[in-house]
Amino acid sequence: RPVVTFDDVVFGYEPDRTILHGLSFEVPAGGHYAIVGPSGAGKSTIARLLFRFYDPWSGRILIDGQDIRAVTQDSVRAAIGIVPQDSVLFNDTIGYNIAYGRDGAGHEDVVRAARDAAILPFVESLPQGFDTEVGERGLKLSGGEKQRVAIARTLVKDPPILLLDEATSALDSRTEEDILTTLHTVSEHRTSISIAHRLSTVADADRILVLEAGRLAESGRHGELLRKG
Ligand code: ADP
Ligand code: ADP
């Protein structure tokens, strides 16, 4: 059974301006799925509909076979961990930011949480110690460091589905590659959906959906899409 299903979803923000024109796709469990397309194609709109910031005009969205209109937003949020492009961190320690926002969360709490969620390699790849204060009065993190903390914070909750909404798109390609490589080693058994505008970012996805102006232009593996041009 697919973990996410879009079934003929039609949606727009304003009357008379349709953004998604009857979009259908299924995300199978356990794989790495990617949605790519030019800016404005409707990629983030898909994420917003999944989280029920809006409801489709018509069509259905299912998570684990259940229509999301029949479940609470809390359970949707427990099922899907989202990492946006520009994450906001607390002005506190890295440990606090990762370990559920718990006060005084130090090295041991973070390591325990990371071990429980089987993401230790990812957490260990963070360049700073967990006691490092970040933000206004602390260390100013680079974009890549900040996104690593944001991804760790989401992974530690062990969501069955990880949704990366352009989570590494603003970073240089070397940093992006580093993060994605470590991320893949800890996400083998998790369903992930990567929203990206560069095809190269999602080269190892099991399936790539190419969205153009709110319609499915094509889908397949990276090599297949390149051959088709
Ligand atoms: P397409 O160009 O893909 O045919 P349309 O713009 O014609 O898409 O709209 C697709 C569907 O969405 C149509 O059935 C239309 O009636 C419906 N629709 C369009 N605007 C709205 C709206 N403001 N509220 C609800 N449904 C709408
Ligand atoms: P992408 O993520 O592929 O860049 P989006 O899903 O953010 O695209 O946006 C798709 C289209 O919807 C764009 O034309 C955008 O201008 C429009 N759009 C996005 N958010 C809103 C909004 N809140 N109100 C009206 N139009 C919006």
Side-chain angles (χ1 to χ4, degrees):
R1 177 164 89 184
V3 290
V4 173
T5 305
F6 270 57
D7 176 18
D8 203 14
V9 170
V10 178
F11 173 73
Y13 296 92
E14 296 149 359
D16 308 324
R17 185 162 173 239
T18 309
I19 301 294
L20 301 181
H21 300 263
L23 188 64
S24 297
F25 62 88
E26 287 182 350
V27 179
H32 296 299
Y33 202 87
I35 301 171
V36 302
S39 177
K43 305 183 296 294
S44 294
T45 300
I46 292 172
R48 288 179 206 126
L49 291 174
L50 257 180
F51 284 96
R52 290 204 69 202
F53 293 136
Y54 305 92
D55 282 327
W57 290 343
S58 65
R60 290 188 314 156
I61 300 171
L62 314 178
I63 294 179
D64 267 334
Q66 271 206 299
D67 194 315
I68 60 171
R69 278 172 295 199
V71 301
T72 65
Q73 198 169 45
D74 280 352
S75 63
V76 173
R77 288 184 182 184
I80 307 175
I82 183 165
V83 183
Q85 176 166 335
D86 198 12
S87 305
V88 179
L89 301 183
F90 299 113
N91 293 319
D92 207 300
T93 62
I94 288 180
Y96 179 90
N97 273 285
I98 295 174
Y100 311 108
R102 265 185 302 169
D103 268 324
H107 194 87
E108 298 206 338
D109 301 289
V110 178
V111 170
R112 191 178 316 112
R115 192 173 290 129
D116 290 349
I119 59 152
L120 210 49
F122 188 85
V123 167
E124 282 170 344
S125 77
L126 296 172
Q128 283 89 16
F130 303 135
D131 300 330
T132 309
E133 289 270 344
V134 299
E136 273 164 21
R137 284 165 314 184
L139 186 70
K140 184 148 169 27
L141 297 182
S142 71
E145 292 163 348
K146 203 170 71 162
Q147 286 304 86
R148 277 178 192 273
V149 176
I151 295 170
R153 171 172 75 183
T154 301
L155 285 175
V156 121
K157 298 190 189 106
D158 208 13
I161 306 167
L162 179 68
L163 176 61
L164 301 171
D165 187 0
E166 307 264 13
T168 56
S169 298
L171 309 175
D172 64 87
S173 52
R174 169 85 194 280
T175 305
E176 176 170 56
E177 213 169 287
D178 279 353
I179 294 178
L180 293 178
T181 302
T182 329
L183 184 60
H184 284 143
T185 66
V186 301
S187 290
E188 281 299 323
H189 307 292
R190 197 188 308 273
T191 306
S192 70
I193 306 172
S194 301
I195 294 177
H197 55 259
R198 285 193 294 267
L199 202 52
S200 60
T201 307
V202 296
D204 53 4
D206 300 316
R207 187 159 200 85
I208 303 169
L209 186 159
V210 181
L211 197 65
E212 271 167 28
R215 295 174 207 274
L216 180 59
E218 53 184 338
S219 68
R221 283 178 166 274
H222 188 244
E224 296 164 357
L225 297 178
L226 289 183
R227 274 196 295 280
K228 282 189 235 161

